Amino acid sequence: MVGTTGKIKVGIVGYGTIGKRVADAVDMQPDMELIGITARSYNFRIEVANKKGWPIYATEDADLEHLQKNGIRVKGDIHTLIRNADIIVDGTPGNVGVEMKKKYYEPAKIKAIFQGGEAAKMAQCSFNADANFEDACGKDYVRVVSCNTTGMGRLLKAVADKWKIKKVHATLVRRAVDPVDVKKGPVNAIVPSLKVPSHHGPDVNTIIPDIEVITLAVIVPTTLMHVHCLEIELDGKPPTTEEVVQQLDRTHRIFMLRGETGVTSTAEIMELVKDLHHQRGDVVDNCIWQKGLSVKGQNLFLFQAIHQESIVVPENIDCIRAMCTDMSKEESMKLTDRILGIKIKER
Ligand code: NAD
């Protein structure tokens, strides 16, 4: 399903941390057209979108006067955006997407992608590009899993492609809030999730159903990234540490941090990607510390850092193609990676 321009017409509803990044990524794709974003009130994000010349559509509860007073020319309402789109990427906060689906997308019979803050059951399937691209083909409502689940999904798929996984234990050290969020914490506390397993393990099973994954989670007072501490129990003859490094090194969207670079923390990863001129200082790959990766007996141990604000961006792009075109997974992931400047890997 592609519009008359020959491109997939994509509308973004909810222009926050995820929505604005997906909008930029859509705008870069040769086979997609960003037809507009929604605004509720005037703020710096909307100011920048306006400067980029993107069509801005008002939500039903928008403060139109405030938008217009600040020089934002509103092109129409959310209904018009939805009517003109082939697909909507919904970047509204968790549990709002399900309401948007009932109120707008289902009545308009428009395809929509939701984010990881929604419950899995609200969509026809959950999505991670490498793990289950084909599940989303032709679907109308798909949920791209959260940042933590995307990171675990990519990694476990890469390991399971080569070796049989018996069981996974993971501790997720979660950032407290995104850097821009000045109103939430904790500022000076470590907060364990007392639900065992945390919701992340079961969420991984929405994209990789046949691996037992037990997760524990703690929230710490940092904003930069999440860190996963993983113990993966393997069945059969275990690989060498070098074989695992090789396999991960050739996996899409996995970045091995070499010991020699001196990158030992999330702070240094953030500094490195800024030095590399990544837009917004984003890093869409799983970042794995090679020095901390080892196979001992049947167990593979490793640490990976996940940039919560950007890791799901390429997955949203691939999800659009899975739902709207007949492009294959490999073709879509390669195109996404090339256009977004992610290192392309031949497997
Ligand atoms: P955000 O708060 O930064 O942005 C949400 C946007 O939606 C805001 O622009 C807000 O004005 C708008 N919005 C709120 N209610 C709306 C409504 N009724 N109609 C239209 N627009 C509305 O949120 P976010 O961090 O981008 O999160 C969005 C989704 O992505 C959530 O499901 C979240 O769980 C998921 N997610 C977030 C992160 C992250 O680190 N921020 C990572 C992965 C996934």
Side-chain angles (χ1 to χ4, degrees):
M1 183 191 44
V2 175
T4 49
T5 59
K7 296 184 177 190
I8 310 164
K9 292 187 283 177
V10 184
I12 308 284
V13 170
Y15 190 71
T17 302
I18 300 299
K20 69 177 185 177
R21 286 174 166 81
V22 175
D24 276 322
V26 166
D27 195 39
M28 292 166 75
Q29 304 305 311
D31 55 344
M32 297 181 194
E33 182 186 354
L34 177 71
I35 63 153
I37 63 151
T38 55
R40 300 173 86 199
S41 61
Y42 177 75
N43 58 39
F44 69 90
R45 292 191 185 100
I46 299 301
E47 174 67 36
V48 173
N50 196 43
K51 279 209 165 73
K52 288 180 180 179
W54 291 348
I56 294 172
Y57 293 83
T59 58
E60 282 187 301
D61 61 354
D63 185 344
L64 278 174
E65 206 184 306
H66 196 220
L67 284 163
Q68 280 156 1
K69 201 172 78 191
N70 284 287
I72 307 295
R73 203 177 67 80
V74 173
K75 189 153 186 204
D77 63 13
I78 185 172
H79 295 284
T80 315
L81 174 66
I82 291 171
R83 223 176 13 253
N84 292 338
D86 294 320
I87 188 164
I88 294 292
V89 176
D90 184 290
T92 61
N95 298 318
V96 176
V98 67
E99 298 305 322
M100 303 300 280
K101 179 182 174 220
K102 276 188 239 152
K103 190 167 175 188
Y104 299 107
Y105 313 145
E106 281 176 339
K109 296 190 170 40
I110 179 92
K111 286 177 186 275
I113 294 175
F114 302 93
Q115 307 305 316
E118 302 299 319
K121 62 178 187 309
M122 64 82 69
Q124 289 165 294
C125 70
S126 293
F127 180 85
N128 170 262
D130 206 11
N132 70 335
F133 184 96
E134 288 78 14
D135 286 354
C137 293
K139 295 276 190 325
D140 291 328
Y141 302 113
V142 178
R143 163 184 169 264
V144 169
V145 291
S146 72
C147 45
N148 280 307
T149 307
T150 298
M152 297 237 291
R154 281 183 191 165
L155 173 77
L156 296 180
K157 170 71 169 58
V159 175
D161 276 351
K162 272 284 214 199
W163 302 284
K164 190 165 167 30
I165 297 179
K166 202 168 170 190
K167 196 187 280 184
V168 179
H169 284 156
T171 299
L172 278 52
V173 183
R174 300 175 61 196
R175 63 88 178 100
V177 292
D178 288 337
V180 75
D181 197 339
V182 294
K183 293 193 178 146
K184 294 186 206 149
V187 173
N188 188 22
I190 295 173
V191 186
S193 162
L194 299 180
K195 188 167 164 261
V196 179
S198 67
H199 70 270
H200 308 91
D203 203 33
V204 172
N205 291 140
T206 67
I207 48 168
I208 306 179
D210 46 2
I211 298 178
E212 187 181 347
V213 186
I214 312 275
T215 48
L216 303 179
V218 291
I219 299 175
V220 297
T222 179
T223 63
L224 301 180
M225 301 179 92
H226 305 295
V227 170
H228 299 171
C229 316
L230 283 122
E231 178 183 352
I232 302 173
E233 191 182 338
L234 302 166
D235 229 358
K237 184 175 175 288
T240 62
T241 298
E242 290 68 34
E243 284 169 333
V244 178
V245 169
Q246 275 172 17
Q247 168 67 357
L248 297 182
D249 222 3
R250 56 177 170 247
T251 299
H252 285 289
R253 301 170 193 172
I254 287 187
F255 177 31
M256 297 301 294
L257 297 160
R258 314 270 164 211
E260 293 71 24
T261 59
V263 176
T264 57
S265 69
T266 54
E268 288 151 322
I269 296 173
M270 291 286 91
E271 190 69 7
L272 167 66
V273 296
K274 280 186 226 161
D275 288 349
L276 290 169
H277 298 291
H278 284 204
Q279 189 181 25
R280 296 192 177 94
D282 284 350
V283 52
V284 300
D285 312 80
N286 294 26
C287 299
I288 298 179
W289 282 280
Q290 186 176 338
K291 253 186 159 172
L293 186 157
S294 59
V295 178
K296 295 197 190 307
Q298 288 300 122
N299 293 325
L300 162 61
F301 297 91
L302 64 88
F303 302 91
Q304 63 174 1
I306 302 298
H307 188 235
Q308 73 278 355
E309 297 165 278
S310 64
I311 186 174
V312 298
V313 171
E315 315 301 313
N316 272 273
I317 297 298
D318 291 325
C319 192
I320 292 171
R321 292 206 187 91
M323 291 169 72
C324 296
T325 74
D326 55 8
M327 199 183 278
S328 70
K329 163 176 125 176
E330 277 302 320
E331 219 183 325
S332 176
M333 290 182 74
K334 265 193 182 170
L335 180 57
T336 306
D337 289 2
R338 182 165 64 78
I339 299 299
L340 296 185
I342 309 169
K343 197 172 140 214
I344 298 173
K345 303 180 181 179
E346 301 296 339
R347 286 208 273 172

PDB file of all heavy atoms in Angstrom, residues 306-329:
ATOM      1  N   ILE A 306      22.232   0.258  26.543  1.00  0.00           N
ATOM      2  CA  ILE A 306      21.119   0.509  25.621  1.00  0.00           C
ATOM      3  C   ILE A 306      20.733   1.983  25.714  1.00  0.00           C
ATOM      4  O   ILE A 306      20.372   2.466  26.801  1.00  0.00           O
ATOM      5  CB  ILE A 306      19.899  -0.363  26.022  1.00  0.00           C
ATOM      6  CG1 ILE A 306      20.250  -1.859  26.016  1.00  0.00           C
ATOM      7  CG2 ILE A 306      18.684  -0.047  25.161  1.00  0.00           C
ATOM      8  CD1 ILE A 306      20.658  -2.427  24.680  1.00  0.00           C
ATOM      9  N   HIS A 307      20.784   2.672  24.572  1.00  0.00           N
ATOM     10  CA  HIS A 307      20.378   4.091  24.563  1.00  0.00           C
ATOM     11  C   HIS A 307      18.860   4.144  24.374  1.00  0.00           C
ATOM     12  O   HIS A 307      18.336   3.973  23.262  1.00  0.00           O
ATOM     13  CB  HIS A 307      21.094   4.839  23.435  1.00  0.00           C
ATOM     14  CG  HIS A 307      20.856   6.311  23.498  1.00  0.00           C
ATOM     15  ND1 HIS A 307      20.357   7.050  22.452  1.00  0.00           N
ATOM     16  CD2 HIS A 307      21.018   7.188  24.528  1.00  0.00           C
ATOM     17  CE1 HIS A 307      20.232   8.306  22.821  1.00  0.00           C
ATOM     18  NE2 HIS A 307      20.628   8.419  24.061  1.00  0.00           N
ATOM     19  N   GLN A 308      18.182   4.406  25.490  1.00  0.00           N
ATOM     20  CA  GLN A 308      16.715   4.267  25.510  1.00  0.00           C
ATOM     21  C   GLN A 308      15.997   5.169  24.522  1.00  0.00           C
ATOM     22  O   GLN A 308      14.960   4.811  23.975  1.00  0.00           O
ATOM     23  CB  GLN A 308      16.194   4.527  26.931  1.00  0.00           C
ATOM     24  CG  GLN A 308      16.210   5.971  27.415  1.00  0.00           C
ATOM     25  CD  GLN A 308      17.564   6.437  27.935  1.00  0.00           C
ATOM     26  OE1 GLN A 308      18.494   5.644  28.023  1.00  0.00           O
ATOM     27  NE2 GLN A 308      17.688   7.708  28.281  1.00  0.00           N
ATOM     28  N   GLU A 309      16.579   6.357  24.270  1.00  0.00           N
ATOM     29  CA  GLU A 309      15.847   7.331  23.450  1.00  0.00           C
ATOM     30  C   GLU A 309      15.869   7.005  21.958  1.00  0.00           C
ATOM     31  O   GLU A 309      15.029   7.511  21.212  1.00  0.00           O
ATOM     32  CB  GLU A 309      16.453   8.729  23.640  1.00  0.00           C
ATOM     33  CG  GLU A 309      16.343   9.249  25.057  1.00  0.00           C
ATOM     34  CD  GLU A 309      17.265  10.443  25.259  1.00  0.00           C
ATOM     35  OE1 GLU A 309      18.472  10.232  25.497  1.00  0.00           O
ATOM     36  OE2 GLU A 309      16.795  11.577  25.161  1.00  0.00           O
ATOM     37  N   SER A 310      16.849   6.197  21.530  1.00  0.00           N
ATOM     38  CA  SER A 310      16.986   6.031  20.072  1.00  0.00           C
ATOM     39  C   SER A 310      16.978   4.595  19.571  1.00  0.00           C
ATOM     40  O   SER A 310      16.807   4.372  18.369  1.00  0.00           O
ATOM     41  CB  SER A 310      18.282   6.706  19.605  1.00  0.00           C
ATOM     42  OG  SER A 310      19.412   6.075  20.175  1.00  0.00           O
ATOM     43  N   ILE A 311      17.142   3.613  20.455  1.00  0.00           N
ATOM     44  CA  ILE A 311      17.327   2.240  19.955  1.00  0.00           C
ATOM     45  C   ILE A 311      16.140   1.740  19.136  1.00  0.00           C
ATOM     46  O   ILE A 311      16.291   0.955  18.203  1.00  0.00           O
ATOM     47  CB  ILE A 311      17.662   1.267  21.117  1.00  0.00           C
ATOM     48  CG1 ILE A 311      18.008  -0.114  20.565  1.00  0.00           C
ATOM     49  CG2 ILE A 311      16.541   1.170  22.118  1.00  0.00           C
ATOM     50  CD1 ILE A 311      18.495  -1.108  21.598  1.00  0.00           C
ATOM     51  N   VAL A 312      14.931   2.235  19.430  1.00  0.00           N
ATOM     52  CA  VAL A 312      13.752   1.714  18.709  1.00  0.00           C
ATOM     53  C   VAL A 312      13.508   2.424  17.372  1.00  0.00           C
ATOM     54  O   VAL A 312      12.593   2.051  16.641  1.00  0.00           O
ATOM     55  CB  VAL A 312      12.460   1.782  19.578  1.00  0.00           C
ATOM     56  CG1 VAL A 312      12.596   0.919  20.812  1.00  0.00           C
ATOM     57  CG2 VAL A 312      12.124   3.229  19.956  1.00  0.00           C
ATOM     58  N   VAL A 313      14.326   3.430  17.043  1.00  0.00           N
ATOM     59  CA  VAL A 313      14.066   4.200  15.815  1.00  0.00           C
ATOM     60  C   VAL A 313      14.178   3.326  14.557  1.00  0.00           C
ATOM     61  O   VAL A 313      13.242   3.278  13.749  1.00  0.00           O
ATOM     62  CB  VAL A 313      14.984   5.444  15.751  1.00  0.00           C
ATOM     63  CG1 VAL A 313      14.879   6.122  14.387  1.00  0.00           C
ATOM     64  CG2 VAL A 313      14.596   6.417  16.863  1.00  0.00           C
ATOM     65  N   PRO A 314      15.303   2.583  14.366  1.00  0.00           N
ATOM     66  CA  PRO A 314      15.353   1.765  13.144  1.00  0.00           C
ATOM     67  C   PRO A 314      14.256   0.694  13.112  1.00  0.00           C
ATOM     68  O   PRO A 314      13.769   0.334  12.037  1.00  0.00           O
ATOM     69  CB  PRO A 314      16.747   1.119  13.194  1.00  0.00           C
ATOM     70  CG  PRO A 314      17.293   1.383  14.547  1.00  0.00           C
ATOM     71  CD  PRO A 314      16.564   2.539  15.128  1.00  0.00           C
ATOM     72  N   GLU A 315      13.849   0.232  14.285  1.00  0.00           N
ATOM     73  CA  GLU A 315      12.797  -0.808  14.332  1.00  0.00           C
ATOM     74  C   GLU A 315      11.460  -0.235  13.854  1.00  0.00           C
ATOM     75  O   GLU A 315      10.700  -0.906  13.157  1.00  0.00           O
ATOM     76  CB  GLU A 315      12.639  -1.373  15.749  1.00  0.00           C
ATOM     77  CG  GLU A 315      13.924  -1.707  16.481  1.00  0.00           C
ATOM     78  CD  GLU A 315      14.805  -2.731  15.778  1.00  0.00           C
ATOM     79  OE1 GLU A 315      14.293  -3.767  15.336  1.00  0.00           O
ATOM     80  OE2 GLU A 315      16.019  -2.467  15.687  1.00  0.00           O
ATOM     81  N   ASN A 316      11.184   1.033  14.192  1.00  0.00           N
ATOM     82  CA  ASN A 316       9.949   1.668  13.701  1.00  0.00           C
ATOM     83  C   ASN A 316       9.979   1.771  12.174  1.00  0.00           C
ATOM     84  O   ASN A 316       8.971   1.553  11.517  1.00  0.00           O
ATOM     85  CB  ASN A 316       9.772   3.062  14.327  1.00  0.00           C
ATOM     86  CG  ASN A 316       9.031   3.014  15.657  1.00  0.00           C
ATOM     87  OD1 ASN A 316       7.802   3.051  15.676  1.00  0.00           O
ATOM     88  ND2 ASN A 316       9.755   2.914  16.763  1.00  0.00           N
ATOM     89  N   ILE A 317      11.146   2.094  11.626  1.00  0.00           N
ATOM     90  CA  ILE A 317      11.266   2.223  10.165  1.00  0.00           C
ATOM     91  C   ILE A 317      11.036   0.864   9.496  1.00  0.00           C
ATOM     92  O   ILE A 317      10.275   0.748   8.526  1.00  0.00           O
ATOM     93  CB  ILE A 317      12.668   2.793   9.791  1.00  0.00           C
ATOM     94  CG1 ILE A 317      12.823   4.207  10.368  1.00  0.00           C
ATOM     95  CG2 ILE A 317      12.886   2.781   8.281  1.00  0.00           C
ATOM     96  CD1 ILE A 317      11.831   5.231   9.857  1.00  0.00           C
ATOM     97  N   ASP A 318      11.677  -0.180  10.022  1.00  0.00           N
ATOM     98  CA  ASP A 318      11.476  -1.518   9.436  1.00  0.00           C
ATOM     99  C   ASP A 318      10.042  -1.984   9.601  1.00  0.00           C
ATOM    100  O   ASP A 318       9.497  -2.676   8.742  1.00  0.00           O
ATOM    101  CB  ASP A 318      12.443  -2.522  10.087  1.00  0.00           C
ATOM    102  CG  ASP A 318      13.885  -2.252   9.700  1.00  0.00           C
ATOM    103  OD1 ASP A 318      14.127  -1.833   8.558  1.00  0.00           O
ATOM    104  OD2 ASP A 318      14.768  -2.440  10.557  1.00  0.00           O
ATOM    105  N   CYS A 319       9.436  -1.604  10.713  1.00  0.00           N
ATOM    106  CA  CYS A 319       8.054  -2.019  10.972  1.00  0.00           C
ATOM    107  C   CYS A 319       7.109  -1.386   9.937  1.00  0.00           C
ATOM    108  O   CYS A 319       6.175  -2.031   9.452  1.00  0.00           O
ATOM    109  CB  CYS A 319       7.667  -1.619  12.401  1.00  0.00           C
ATOM    110  SG  CYS A 319       6.127  -2.365  12.946  1.00  0.00           S
ATOM    111  N   ILE A 320       7.378  -0.132   9.567  1.00  0.00           N
ATOM    112  CA  ILE A 320       6.562   0.535   8.528  1.00  0.00           C
ATOM    113  C   ILE A 320       6.637  -0.289   7.239  1.00  0.00           C
ATOM    114  O   ILE A 320       5.620  -0.585   6.608  1.00  0.00           O
ATOM    115  CB  ILE A 320       7.073   1.977   8.273  1.00  0.00           C
ATOM    116  CG1 ILE A 320       6.812   2.855   9.496  1.00  0.00           C
ATOM    117  CG2 ILE A 320       6.410   2.575   7.021  1.00  0.00           C
ATOM    118  CD1 ILE A 320       7.483   4.243   9.440  1.00  0.00           C
ATOM    119  N   ARG A 321       7.852  -0.689   6.862  1.00  0.00           N
ATOM    120  CA  ARG A 321       7.990  -1.447   5.597  1.00  0.00           C
ATOM    121  C   ARG A 321       7.330  -2.817   5.708  1.00  0.00           C
ATOM    122  O   ARG A 321       6.702  -3.282   4.760  1.00  0.00           O
ATOM    123  CB  ARG A 321       9.472  -1.606   5.225  1.00  0.00           C
ATOM    124  CG  ARG A 321      10.130  -0.308   4.858  1.00  0.00           C
ATOM    125  CD  ARG A 321      11.314  -0.510   3.911  1.00  0.00           C
ATOM    126  NE  ARG A 321      11.993   0.762   3.742  1.00  0.00           N
ATOM    127  CZ  ARG A 321      13.017   1.176   4.505  1.00  0.00           C
ATOM    128  NH1 ARG A 321      13.490   0.391   5.459  1.00  0.00           N
ATOM    129  NH2 ARG A 321      13.562   2.346   4.297  1.00  0.00           N
ATOM    130  N   ALA A 322       7.491  -3.466   6.877  1.00  0.00           N
ATOM    131  CA  ALA A 322       6.870  -4.792   7.028  1.00  0.00           C
ATOM    132  C   ALA A 322       5.355  -4.686   6.856  1.00  0.00           C
ATOM    133  O   ALA A 322       4.733  -5.526   6.206  1.00  0.00           O
ATOM    134  CB  ALA A 322       7.212  -5.376   8.404  1.00  0.00           C
ATOM    135  N   MET A 323       4.766  -3.621   7.400  1.00  0.00           N
ATOM    136  CA  MET A 323       3.295  -3.506   7.374  1.00  0.00           C
ATOM    137  C   MET A 323       2.760  -2.982   6.040  1.00  0.00           C
ATOM    138  O   MET A 323       1.613  -3.247   5.694  1.00  0.00           O
ATOM    139  CB  MET A 323       2.831  -2.568   8.507  1.00  0.00           C
ATOM    140  CG  MET A 323       3.034  -3.168   9.897  1.00  0.00           C
ATOM    141  SD  MET A 323       2.786  -1.948  11.208  1.00  0.00           S
ATOM    142  CE  MET A 323       1.013  -1.717  11.189  1.00  0.00           C
ATOM    143  N   CYS A 324       3.572  -2.226   5.304  1.00  0.00           N
ATOM    144  CA  CYS A 324       3.044  -1.518   4.116  1.00  0.00           C
ATOM    145  C   CYS A 324       3.619  -1.994   2.790  1.00  0.00           C
ATOM    146  O   CYS A 324       3.139  -1.564   1.743  1.00  0.00           O
ATOM    147  CB  CYS A 324       3.315  -0.022   4.232  1.00  0.00           C
ATOM    148  SG  CYS A 324       2.484   0.765   5.595  1.00  0.00           S
ATOM    149  N   THR A 325       4.672  -2.792   2.800  1.00  0.00           N
ATOM    150  CA  THR A 325       5.289  -3.199   1.524  1.00  0.00           C
ATOM    151  C   THR A 325       5.591  -4.698   1.573  1.00  0.00           C
ATOM    152  O   THR A 325       5.395  -5.344   2.608  1.00  0.00           O
ATOM    153  CB  THR A 325       6.631  -2.463   1.267  1.00  0.00           C
ATOM    154  OG1 THR A 325       7.648  -3.025   2.139  1.00  0.00           O
ATOM    155  CG2 THR A 325       6.530  -0.982   1.536  1.00  0.00           C
ATOM    156  N   ASP A 326       6.123  -5.212   0.452  1.00  0.00           N
ATOM    157  CA  ASP A 326       6.539  -6.626   0.490  1.00  0.00           C
ATOM    158  C   ASP A 326       8.067  -6.741   0.522  1.00  0.00           C
ATOM    159  O   ASP A 326       8.633  -7.773   0.186  1.00  0.00           O
ATOM    160  CB  ASP A 326       5.929  -7.418  -0.677  1.00  0.00           C
ATOM    161  CG  ASP A 326       6.253  -6.784  -2.021  1.00  0.00           C
ATOM    162  OD1 ASP A 326       7.071  -5.835  -2.046  1.00  0.00           O
ATOM    163  OD2 ASP A 326       5.696  -7.243  -3.038  1.00  0.00           O
ATOM    164  N   MET A 327       8.729  -5.690   0.969  1.00  0.00           N
ATOM    165  CA  MET A 327      10.190  -5.739   1.086  1.00  0.00           C
ATOM    166  C   MET A 327      10.601  -6.778   2.127  1.00  0.00           C
ATOM    167  O   MET A 327       9.933  -6.933   3.141  1.00  0.00           O
ATOM    168  CB  MET A 327      10.731  -4.352   1.486  1.00  0.00           C
ATOM    169  CG  MET A 327      12.202  -4.173   1.196  1.00  0.00           C
ATOM    170  SD  MET A 327      12.826  -2.565   1.765  1.00  0.00           S
ATOM    171  CE  MET A 327      12.342  -1.505   0.440  1.00  0.00           C
ATOM    172  N   SER A 328      11.707  -7.486   1.847  1.00  0.00           N
ATOM    173  CA  SER A 328      12.148  -8.524   2.793  1.00  0.00           C
ATOM    174  C   SER A 328      12.830  -7.880   4.006  1.00  0.00           C
ATOM    175  O   SER A 328      13.244  -6.714   3.958  1.00  0.00           O
ATOM    176  CB  SER A 328      13.146  -9.463   2.115  1.00  0.00           C
ATOM    177  OG  SER A 328      14.366  -8.768   1.893  1.00  0.00           O
ATOM    178  N   LYS A 329      12.957  -8.663   5.047  1.00  0.00           N
ATOM    179  CA  LYS A 329      13.621  -8.200   6.271  1.00  0.00           C
ATOM    180  C   LYS A 329      15.046  -7.724   5.979  1.00  0.00           C
ATOM    181  O   LYS A 329      15.427  -6.615   6.372  1.00  0.00           O
ATOM    182  CB  LYS A 329      13.647  -9.347   7.289  1.00  0.00           C
ATOM    183  CG  LYS A 329      14.619  -9.181   8.417  1.00  0.00           C
ATOM    184  CD  LYS A 329      14.501 -10.312   9.398  1.00  0.00           C
ATOM    185  CE  LYS A 329      15.813 -10.996   9.622  1.00  0.00           C
ATOM    186  NZ  LYS A 329      15.747 -12.044  10.641  1.00  0.00           N
TER     187      LYS A 329
END
